[in-house]
Amino acid sequence: GIYALLAEAHVVEAHAHALLEDRPACGAALHEAEVAFDRRETGERPDWIAYFDEAYLSAKFAHCFRDLGDGAAVVRHARRSLDMDGRYVRGRMFNLALLAAGLLQRGELEHACVAAAEALDLAVGLQSARTRSYVTDLRRRLAPFAGNRTVAELDGRAGELVSAT
């Protein structure tokens, strides 16, 4: 469990660097996260960190790249993050929202709308502050495309979700 915990600490550090727009420091912390992750003993993970798998690590990488504005890297890691345990519905919703954000950064509005719609489908059954924050973030990212009919429909659905929870 110690190396999984160390990997988690490094991705938290990387995300802080991404938020500060320090690309080199973020990259160094992500590298350290990968090194620690590769050293973990998969068969000996304690229950309290069992969630920390390759899909989870990929999602954390996607968050960093989203905040750095690197849509291609977001999409690559977000797609990897979707290869996850199906029991984590909330996590899947978050990862689909990340994918939508990356696709928007790449200018792929149609594909972003598909991922956003899937995220909103999952969000319907969820009630948490984090779910609301991801839905609100999706709305903010889609707002510049409000003239698009599909985006307008998604915004309406997202608005209902945010006000219902």
Side-chain angles (χ1 to χ4, degrees), residues 22 51 154:
D22 187 341
Y51 65 87
L154 289 170

Side-chain angles (χ1 to χ4, degrees), residues 46-108:
D47 288 343
W48 57 268
I49 200 154
Y51 65 87
F52 199 95
D53 58 10
E54 287 184 45
Y56 183 87
L57 184 65
S58 293
K60 292 298 189 182
F61 274 51
H63 277 99
C64 291
F65 290 116
R66 179 199 62 193
D67 293 339
L68 289 172
D70 186 343
V74 176
V75 169
R76 186 172 61 254
H77 290 286
R79 284 192 172 134
R80 253 192 240 150
S81 77
L82 291 169
D83 185 20
M84 61 185 295
D85 187 326
R87 294 174 294 176
Y88 298 128
V89 175
R90 195 176 75 144
R92 184 167 190 78
M93 182 265 160
F94 298 161
N95 296 350
L96 284 163
L98 273 172
L99 177 59
L103 290 164
L104 283 171
Q105 287 175 334
R106 287 179 47 161
E108 297 181 36

Side-chain angles (χ1 to χ4, degrees), residues 93-147:
M93 182 265 160
F94 298 161
N95 296 350
L96 284 163
L98 273 172
L99 177 59
L103 290 164
L104 283 171
Q105 287 175 334
R106 287 179 47 161
E108 297 181 36
L109 180 60
E110 186 176 327
H111 291 115
C113 286
V114 171
E118 287 183 50
L120 294 177
D121 287 346
L122 293 176
V124 169
L126 304 172
Q127 293 183 357
S128 73
R130 279 190 68 202
T131 299
R132 283 191 302 278
S133 73
Y134 274 83
V135 171
T136 300
D137 183 69
L138 263 179
R139 289 184 84 187
R140 182 181 60 77
R141 292 175 188 279
L142 288 167
F145 310 98

